[in-house]
């Protein structure tokens, strides 16, 4: 069961990196649906795709929350096209409805190529008469391209400047002249590209017509031919009837051109049909789809992508065949606007239906023990923590600095984490961070006014107490004279406290644990934080309006939930922001933008056919 719900929430953010999908019967219960036109010119064995609604009026809902720039036309950019090409003037007038960013299947002999080598953008043309002006504006920014033919299609190529410079130095064809573009200017001019660093062309490109520099000596033997610049990167576009396609090199474009007219299109793929049948498709601004095994395989071989999308760890990969063992066949994503904010939903579909009993949807009982000002909390079954663990660092027990926990526990306590500790954590597990002036963190640094803790439900209290007793005995033995173990009575219950003497000679509690019910253990960073929560906080998180508004639009979970109170959290973070950042225009823009976010929440649901993650960003409307 644990393996069936380990699809990370952050995988909803990167679905342009997927894979090859085998044709299967239409999933039961999926009604036929009209495909998006752009999906009819993508191959059925597409590796993954991100579809962006490029209709201007589709993005009008953002005005409710964000002060959009004058003349902004949603979505504000086209992937791979330089920011200096004016989107509203030179692109939007000819652009159709949905644009695709697709990861083409790898070419023969390429192995597992990178995202840059396989990704291609395909944008529909609504008004062909405006395309010549678009190409002229693109050439004005990039310089004159070199042209060549592929299967009757003209490719316009601008080589990557750094690649051209490196090769030019060795062949005597180094382009020279002033760099016309500031590499940072697109980000300064168009903030909408910041979320797409791999798709926006931000490097300065030198035109081919620029005079060449004096030839440099070739250090290689004469028999070694100089590599060609053609198709090595940068920007390449192709214009075919109905579509403009772009990529960083010509290779993925050539593969797309060779397959776009086949009858085996993505629109006809049974698994993708299931995504098109999503009930929220009609109001989604972004749609994602990918083959999960290939997505995970690519993530495992790409350090950067592995950080962005912490999919199954290398232990899931068969060392002999290199195949990744995962229960998922496909993953999809929908992002749409709600009256109160932005919603996202990701589903990971099982290769075979789930036969084990699913969790029972229940309210969030432990939030009654948390204060309304809680910064962050996650609560749910152990399945939830197995699922979100990779987001924190590949898996729950390989966080930076915690790699030694299993070995340390075994060597010092004689306990095995997976056999002696995790089994008794069979109820709800809630972790939390909240503001407090007491406990470990304020003792270490008075500006760190926060506390952390967890509440764990168990049906095996005896095993839990055995672990806690061994832990207390270890600390008392190994840190004798530094930490003192004491017992306190709170509401007629015994609470264990680890205490130290601070630099002022006062006793401070840095860790505490005790039972707040017959089956619920609570641990906090000190006795002070424990007392603030038990027997009950001054104001409960359960009754907090912000918490209720954060979870109200989301489905009732059976795996668990997470909640980030941005208002409370930013109020704490602002105490560390240097005055010069607060005073700067850029700093104010960032802080004001973050201030629009009231909360970020999410829930997880395990069903027979798939696991589902729902996220909601609650935003403040414009004043």
């Amino acid at each position: 069961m644990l393996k069936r719900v380990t699809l990370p929430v952050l995988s909803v953010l990167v679905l342009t990196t997927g894979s090859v999908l085998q044709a299967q019967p239409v999933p039961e219960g999926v009604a036929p649906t009209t495909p998006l036109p752009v999906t009819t010119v993508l191959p059925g064995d597409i590796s993954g795709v991100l579809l962006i609604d490029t209709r201007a009026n589709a993005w009008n809902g953002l005005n409710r929350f964000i002060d959009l720039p004058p003349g902004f036309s949603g979505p504000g950019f086209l992937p791979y096209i330089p920011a200096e090409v004016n989107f509203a003037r030179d692109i939007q007038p000819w652009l159709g409805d949905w644009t695709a960013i697709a990861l083409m299947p790898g070419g023969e002999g390429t192995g597992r190529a990178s995202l840059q080598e396989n990704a291609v953008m395909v944008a529909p043309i609504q008004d062909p008469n405006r395309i010549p002006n678009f190409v002229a504006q693109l050439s004005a920014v990039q310089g004159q391209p070199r042209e060549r033919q592929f299967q009757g299609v003209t490719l316009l190529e601008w080589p990557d400047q750094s690649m051209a410079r490196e090769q030019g130095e060795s062949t005597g064809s180094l382009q020279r002249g002033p760099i016309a573009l500031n590499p940072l200017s697109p980000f300064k001019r168009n903030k909408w590209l910041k979320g797409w660093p791999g798709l926006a062309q931000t490097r300065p490109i030198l035109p081919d017509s620029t005079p060449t520099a004096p030839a440099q000596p070739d250090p290689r033997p004469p028999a070694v031919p100089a590599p060609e610049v053609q198709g090595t990167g940068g920007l390449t576009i192709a214009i075919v009837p109905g579509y403009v396609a772009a990529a960083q090199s010509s290779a993925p474009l050539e593969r797309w051109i060779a397959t776009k007219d086949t009858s085996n299109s993505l629109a006809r793929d049974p698994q993708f049909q299931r995504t098109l049948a999503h009930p929220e498709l009609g109001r989604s601004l972004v749609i994602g789809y990918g083959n999960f095994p290939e997505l995970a395989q690519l993530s495992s071989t790409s350090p950067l992508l592995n950080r962005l999308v912490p999919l199954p760890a290398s232990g899931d990969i068969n060392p002999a065949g290199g195949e990744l063992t995962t229960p998922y066949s496909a993953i999809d994503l929908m992002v749409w606007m709600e009256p109160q904010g932005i919603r996202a939903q990701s589903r990971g579909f099982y290769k075979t239906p789930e036969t084990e009993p699913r969790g029972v949807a229940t309210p969030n009982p432990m939030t009654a023990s948390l204060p309304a000002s809680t910064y962050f909390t996650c609560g749910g079954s152990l399945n939830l923590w197995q699922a979100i663990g990779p987001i924190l660092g590949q898996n729950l027990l390989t966080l930076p600095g915690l790699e030694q926990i299993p070995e340390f526990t075994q060597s010092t306590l004689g306990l095995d984490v997976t056999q002696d500790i995790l089994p008794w954590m069979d109820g709800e597990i809630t972790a939390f961070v909240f503001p407090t002036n007491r406990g470990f963190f304020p003792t270490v640094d008075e500006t760190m006014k926060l506390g952390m803790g967890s509440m764990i439900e168990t049906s095996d209290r005896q095993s839990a107490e055995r672990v806690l007793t061994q832990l207390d005995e270890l600390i008392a033995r190994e840190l004798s004279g530094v930490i003192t173990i004491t017992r306190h009575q709170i509401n007629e219950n015994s609470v264990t406290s680890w205490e130290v003497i601070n630099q002022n000679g006062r006793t401070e509690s840095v860790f505490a644990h005790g039972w707040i019910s017959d089956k619920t253990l609570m641990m906090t960073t000190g006795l002070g934080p424990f007392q603030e929560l038990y027997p009950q906080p001054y104001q409960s998180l359960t009754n907090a309006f912000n918490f209720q508004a954060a979870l109200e639009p989301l489905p009732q979970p059976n795996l668990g939930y997470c909640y980030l109170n941005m208002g409370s959290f930013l109020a704490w973070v602002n105490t560390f922001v240097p005055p010069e950042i607060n005073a700067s225009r850029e700093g104010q823009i960032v802080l004001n933008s973050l201030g629009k976010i009231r909360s970020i929440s999410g829930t997880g649901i395990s069903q027979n056919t798939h696991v589902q993650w729902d996220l909601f960003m609650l935003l403040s409307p414009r004043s």
Side-chain angles (χ1 to χ4, degrees):
M1 179 63 178
L2 295 183
K3 297 289 287 182
R4 292 298 189 120
V5 293
T6 55
L7 182 65
V9 178
L10 285 187
S11 65
V12 305
L13 300 178
V14 187
L15 288 168
T16 59
T17 55
S19 53
V20 180
L21 187 62
Q22 299 296 325
Q24 298 180 14
V26 177
E28 186 178 351
V30 175
T33 185
T34 303
L36 304 177
V38 72
T39 64
T40 65
V41 295
L42 297 177
D45 59 351
I46 195 74
S47 299
V49 64
L50 195 69
L51 299 162
I52 303 173
D53 192 336
T54 41
R55 296 171 296 181
N57 60 354
W59 296 82
N60 291 341
L62 287 174
N63 280 302
R64 174 174 170 78
F65 309 105
I66 302 173
D67 187 12
L68 296 174
F72 172 80
S73 180
F77 75 103
L78 200 63
Y80 292 113
I81 304 304
E84 287 79 8
V85 177
N86 188 281
F87 180 81
R89 184 192 66 206
D90 302 319
I91 297 177
Q92 190 78 72
W94 61 258
L95 189 59
D97 50 7
W98 285 87
T99 293
I101 309 162
L103 190 66
M104 298 295 295
E108 222 179 290
T110 60
R112 300 194 179 277
S114 68
L115 173 64
Q116 291 80 3
E117 292 171 309
N118 283 340
V120 60
M121 180 273 292
V122 182
I125 299 174
Q126 186 177 38
D127 184 356
N129 296 325
R130 295 180 179 269
I131 294 300
N133 177 69
F134 163 67
V135 174
Q137 293 299 322
L138 185 59
S139 298
V141 172
Q142 298 286 91
Q144 291 302 312
R146 77 167 45 87
E147 299 183 16
R148 68 182 181 90
Q149 298 291 311
F150 178 78
Q151 295 189 359
V153 176
T154 300
L155 299 181
L156 305 179
E157 298 178 329
W158 290 269
D160 178 78
Q161 183 216 351
S162 60
M163 185 73 72
R165 179 178 299 276
E166 178 183 346
Q167 294 175 355
E169 287 174 348
S170 61
T171 62
S173 60
L174 177 64
Q175 298 168 327
R176 69 179 181 183
I179 294 179
L181 304 177
N182 182 336
L184 300 179
S185 62
F187 292 91
K188 293 180 179 179
R189 299 177 192 176
N190 194 336
K191 64 182 178 181
W192 303 102
L193 291 177
K194 288 189 176 180
W196 303 86
L199 302 180
Q201 293 293 316
T202 59
R203 294 181 179 178
I205 307 296
L206 297 177
D208 283 358
S209 58
T210 307
T212 57
Q216 300 295 321
D218 189 346
R220 298 170 302 178
V224 179
E228 296 182 2
V229 176
Q230 176 174 293
T232 56
L235 173 63
T236 302
I237 70 168
I239 300 171
V240 302
Y243 296 94
V244 170
Q248 288 189 353
S249 70
S250 60
L253 275 181
E254 292 176 356
R255 298 203 298 276
W256 174 72
I257 292 169
T259 58
K260 69 180 180 65
D261 295 326
T262 63
S263 59
N264 182 29
S265 70
L266 177 64
R268 299 170 62 90
D269 187 278
Q271 298 268 24
F272 185 64
Q273 282 286 328
R274 178 170 50 193
T275 294
L276 292 178
H278 193 288
E280 299 297 343
L281 181 83
R283 58 173 177 160
S284 292
L285 297 175
V286 176
I287 301 170
Y289 171 80
N291 175 272
F292 190 79
E294 289 289 330
L295 179 64
Q297 187 75 63
L298 181 60
S299 173
S300 69
T301 58
S302 171
L304 175 60
L305 183 60
N306 204 22
R307 292 297 180 187
L308 296 174
V309 191
L311 294 170
S314 57
D316 292 327
I317 298 178
N318 183 339
E323 296 299 323
L324 187 140
T325 57
T326 170
Y328 303 103
S329 62
I331 179 174
D332 66 14
L333 164 72
M334 299 286 160
V335 179
W336 67 92
M337 298 294 299
E338 293 271 7
Q340 304 300 324
I342 299 175
R343 277 286 306 276
Q345 184 181 99
S346 176
R347 302 177 298 179
F349 294 95
Y350 301 139
K351 293 177 180 177
T352 56
E354 178 63 60
T355 57
E356 298 178 17
R358 300 191 303 273
V360 179
T362 59
N364 310 311
M366 292 191 178
T367 58
S369 298
L370 299 179
S373 58
T374 295
Y375 295 140
F376 172 78
T377 180
C378 269
S381 66
L382 187 59
N383 291 337
L384 172 75
W385 295 101
Q386 293 282 348
I388 67 175
I391 298 173
L392 305 176
Q394 284 306 300
N395 63 62
L396 191 57
L397 296 179
T398 59
L399 296 173
L402 300 183
E403 302 90 348
Q404 308 299 321
I405 282 184
E407 181 182 348
F408 173 81
T409 305
Q410 180 70 54
S411 62
T412 57
L413 300 180
L415 299 174
D416 184 274
V417 171
T418 57
Q419 295 182 14
D420 301 319
I421 298 179
L422 295 182
W424 56 261
M425 297 183 178
D426 54 2
E428 182 175 346
I429 304 171
T430 297
F432 51 87
V433 183
F434 69 102
T436 178
N437 294 322
R438 307 162 68 184
F440 173 78
F441 292 102
T443 297
V444 174
D445 185 342
E446 60 181 11
T447 65
M448 295 287 288
K449 298 180 179 180
L450 61 83
M452 296 183 181
S454 64
M455 290 178 282
I456 304 171
E457 285 185 334
T458 178
S459 61
D460 187 1
R461 179 168 174 169
Q462 182 177 0
S463 294
E465 289 183 335
R466 179 170 66 92
V467 171
L468 292 171
T469 298
Q470 290 184 244
L471 180 61
D472 290 339
E473 292 175 350
L474 170 69
I475 294 299
R477 180 175 65 253
E478 299 295 331
L479 297 178
S480 176
V482 178
I483 292 181
T484 302
I485 309 296
T486 61
R487 304 287 190 273
H488 298 264
Q489 291 295 119
I490 302 178
N491 202 38
E492 299 182 354
N493 283 337
S494 176
V495 178
T496 300
S497 172
W498 298 2
E499 298 174 350
V500 299
I501 304 298
N502 68 14
Q503 58 185 1
N504 297 320
R506 295 197 302 266
T507 299
E508 297 281 359
S509 174
V510 295
F511 179 72
H513 62 80
W515 295 89
I516 59 176
S517 75
D518 289 341
K519 295 184 177 181
T520 306
L521 168 69
M522 183 164 74
M523 298 180 287
T524 60
T525 50
L527 186 64
F530 197 105
Q531 292 172 317
E532 292 180 20
L533 305 181
Y534 180 73
Q536 61 185 22
Y538 176 69
Q539 290 182 322
S540 169
L541 180 62
T542 302
N543 300 323
F545 173 78
N546 200 56
F547 179 74
Q548 294 175 344
L551 292 181
E552 190 275 332
L554 301 177
Q556 185 68 50
N558 61 16
L559 289 176
Y561 69 95
C562 288
Y563 164 74
L564 173 64
N565 183 342
M566 282 294 288
S568 179
F569 179 69
L570 287 176
W572 176 69
V573 170
N574 280 340
T575 61
F576 301 96
V577 176
E580 57 270 22
I581 293 181
N582 266 315
S584 68
R585 181 176 177 274
E586 293 79 5
Q588 282 299 311
I589 291 175
V590 172
L591 294 175
N592 290 340
S593 298
L594 291 175
K596 286 285 186 179
I597 306 173
R598 292 170 54 188
S599 66
I600 300 175
S601 54
T603 59
I605 303 174
S606 177
Q607 301 187 25
N608 291 96
T609 57
H610 65 277
V611 61
Q612 174 179 310
W613 300 101
D614 288 85
L615 280 80
F616 177 52
M617 184 182 294
L618 181 65
L619 302 175
S620 298
R622 292 172 56 192
S623 55

